[in-house]
Amino acid sequence: QSDSDGDGIGDVCDTCGADPRAPADTDGDGTLDACDFDDGIVLFESIREWHSGGERTELNWQDDVAYDSFNLYRGDVRELAQGHFSQEPGSNPYADRVCGLTSTSYEDTLEPSAGDALYWLVTGVGAGGESGLGDGAGVDRPNDFPCP
């Protein structure tokens, strides 16, 4: 059968429509994580840079019924490469965190210097506390500087 979004799942069986992100169903409920809003997983939906009169980056992530708010962590990619997934705010020009966001979007106006790069991670906060920073290639991402 055809696979119009190229995610490896045929259109007839694709519970996530035209979303080309990796097909994972972490909670096994038949809905792919990218379209599952009750699995406790928060994925970025888009990260867009705007360059019209002022530098800014618009971040958008999924909502999930398990969470009342979200925490956003930003850092220097060089530190990330050293395994520092959350960085102490102020420890470098890019390390920061925004805690208790009640919307699923944020505009970041910080522009990295030429040759530098930023990254963002988002967590959900609900009755069970703060979710993890996710995993990368099966490696847990420790949060050394969580929101208070």
Side-chain angles (χ1 to χ4, degrees):
Q1 63 181 269
S2 63
D3 178 12
S4 59
D5 61 4
D7 66 359
I9 299 174
D11 293 340
V12 172
C13 301
D14 196 339
T15 60
C16 208
D19 194 318
R21 291 179 277 187
D25 179 11
T26 304
D27 63 356
D29 67 354
T31 302
L32 298 178
D33 293 346
C35 293
D36 198 340
F37 307 112
D38 66 355
D39 62 356
I41 296 172
V42 179
L43 301 174
F44 277 105
E45 292 180 333
S46 65
I47 299 175
R48 294 187 290 179
E49 292 184 33
W50 303 91
H51 303 279
S52 56
E55 300 298 325
R56 67 179 186 171
T57 302
E58 181 182 277
L59 308 161
N60 295 286
W61 55 89
Q62 304 178 286
D63 201 356
D64 193 293
V65 298
Y67 304 123
D68 302 315
S69 64
F70 301 91
N71 296 331
L72 188 63
Y73 297 90
R74 182 184 68 207
D76 186 326
V77 168
R78 289 176 296 226
E79 291 292 317
L80 179 66
Q82 300 297 316
H84 304 285
F85 297 100
S86 65
Q87 300 163 18
E88 185 173 15
S91 64
N92 66 66
Y94 306 125
D96 200 6
R97 63 184 176 212
V98 183
C99 307
L101 295 166
T102 56
S103 71
T104 57
S105 66
Y106 182 78
E107 281 192 20
D108 191 346
T109 57
L110 181 67
E111 179 183 0
S113 299
D116 289 349
L118 309 176
Y119 73 91
W120 299 268
L121 296 172
V122 63
T123 63
V125 181
E130 183 176 17
S131 70
L133 294 172
D135 66 52
V139 176
D140 188 42
R141 297 174 178 155
N143 191 346
D144 296 325
F145 300 99
C147 284

